Amino acid sequence: MIDYMVEFDEDTRAIVDLTARLVREHQMPLEAKKLQGGEITVQDLRAGTRAAKEVGLWGLSLPEEVGGARLTVVQQLAVTEENFKCLVPLRIGGRVPPFLLGAVGVQKERYLDPCLHDRLQYAFAQTEPSGGADPGNAIQTRAVQRGDRWVLNGTKVFISNVGPAEVVFVVAVTDPEKRQRGGISMFAVDKSNPGMKISRDIPVLDGSVINELVFDDCEVPADALIGGSGEGFRNAQIILSQARFSVGARALGIAMRTLEMMAGYARQREAFGSPLSHKQAVQAMVVDSWVDINQCRLMMYAAARKADAGHDTRVEASLIKMQATEVVGRVLDRGVQIFGAAGVSLDNPIAHWWRSQRPARIYEGPTEVHKYHVLARHLFR
């Protein structure tokens, strides 16, 4: 067992231990099944989901009054790290986008409550063929009000979770003059809407499929406007900021498990008359990985504590997302190198992660955008 430099308080440690137990009991057998070439079905995942809900790991960020666990940001990230040390993580329900938490009336009944109770899957559509890194200027999809309805026209691309989704939350320009300063709104479009077509399936590196969506005179009722008119860009940025912390925690959980596997294998595997752990090159790869992980985790949990204190952490979220996805890439590459042929075999989780984590440096904002736009702008403002 490798020691890390971040220490948790007693409550957080108990939550992490609980997560580890559920993962060990319910998910590690599924990891073994996947590594043996088996397909993981929805039925396979239900036992772990049910167990998580029974112990209160449900709606991690949501307030207790709506059935959530109301974990601190530190606790949410610690649970995510522990969960994603497994190739087949727990599916923890109660996933509600923050812009729905204030929903009332029809929107509460149609979207909030079903999401909260895991009866509704959704997709979030912002990226377009014109670009995704600068959405405020790149979004071309338009929404025009006609009487008591809105009409959407445009194309979204590289959208995830469209397959199981029943509703798509779409970001569109409603005032071209204002754009991200009050001229971008968000709309809920039911997947059954005839004005929205899935025009293309796009297989990606990690084995999943993302989609292109076309909106052709897609009519939605007035109550499909989420939040107020012009609030779509702000609401989208809140989603992305939260997602960036989560992406960072996932990446670091994977990096931690990879490091532990690397160190264990290096102790056992011999080459040229001695264990790999005695070779300077292998020692350097393991130590460098440990340093990378610790540096990033210290930053992430410092930012999480700041968020728990009520501070704006959008810049920190960019930094963590950028650093953690770069770190996991380096650690996985070293893991493949140490394991050799076994590292590129798909009966090793490292090979699966190496393939699935490369896209993480792109989605939720490429590394270069975070570094030279968000962080540089913050430093030189």
Side-chain angles (χ1 to χ4, degrees), residues 113-134:
D113 291 342
C115 280
L116 182 64
H117 297 290
D118 215 29
R119 297 194 304 267
L120 180 72
Q121 291 279 324
Y122 66 88
F124 171 67
Q126 175 171 268
T127 301
E128 301 195 1
S130 53
D134 181 16

Side-chain angles (χ1 to χ4, degrees), residues 234-250:
R234 181 180 65 83
N235 283 329
Q237 294 310 298
I238 293 172
I239 294 176
L240 293 175
S241 184
Q242 291 186 348
R244 286 164 184 159
F245 269 122
S246 180
V247 167
R250 293 180 185 191

Side-chain angles (χ1 to χ4, degrees), residues 6 8-9 12 15-16 59-63 69-82 238 241-250 252 297 299-314 316-317 320:
V6 173
F8 298 130
D9 61 32
T12 303
I15 293 169
V16 172
L60 301 186
S61 64
L62 301 180
R70 200 181 183 181
L71 299 187
T72 65
V73 177
V74 167
Q75 291 168 343
Q76 293 170 49
L77 297 180
V79 167
T80 300
E81 267 189 343
E82 193 64 35
I238 293 172
S241 184
Q242 291 186 348
R244 286 164 184 159
F245 269 122
S246 180
V247 167
R250 293 180 185 191
L252 289 173
R297 291 185 83 230
M299 286 193 300
M300 182 175 75
Y301 284 106
R305 293 185 186 97
K306 185 176 175 181
D308 282 328
H311 298 287
D312 183 349
T313 54
R314 285 175 293 179
E316 287 85 348
I320 297 309

Side-chain angles (χ1 to χ4, degrees), residues 265 276 282 285 331-341 343 350:
Y265 185 77
L276 288 179
V282 172
M285 285 191 280
V331 173
L332 286 167
D333 203 61
R334 293 167 188 149
V336 168
Q337 201 69 14
I338 287 176
F339 273 86
I350 291 176

Side-chain angles (χ1 to χ4, degrees), residues 159-182:
I159 308 305
S160 59
N161 208 47
V162 172
E166 297 165 64
V167 63
V168 181
F169 294 109
V170 183
V171 181
V173 175
T174 47
D175 186 335
E177 297 298 321
K178 293 181 179 178
R179 297 195 67 83
Q180 62 264 47
R181 295 174 180 83

Side-chain angles (χ1 to χ4, degrees), residues 1-67:
M1 191 70 178
I2 292 177
D3 290 329
Y4 297 99
M5 299 176 72
V6 173
E7 294 187 1
F8 298 130
D9 61 32
E10 187 175 337
D11 288 344
T12 303
R13 185 71 257 167
I15 293 169
V16 172
D17 290 344
L18 175 60
T19 304
R21 178 176 65 79
L22 294 180
V23 169
R24 184 171 60 251
E25 292 176 358
H26 296 282
Q27 305 309 116
M28 292 307 289
L30 298 182
E31 177 180 284
K33 178 181 177 180
K34 185 177 179 72
L35 295 177
Q36 292 164 10
E39 181 181 351
I40 306 302
T41 67
V42 173
Q43 183 63 39
D44 288 332
L45 297 170
R46 283 178 180 161
T49 300
R50 184 167 54 248
K53 188 171 187 178
E54 288 172 354
V55 299
L57 288 179
W58 191 268
L60 301 186
S61 64
L62 301 180
E64 293 173 354
E65 53 265 30
V66 298

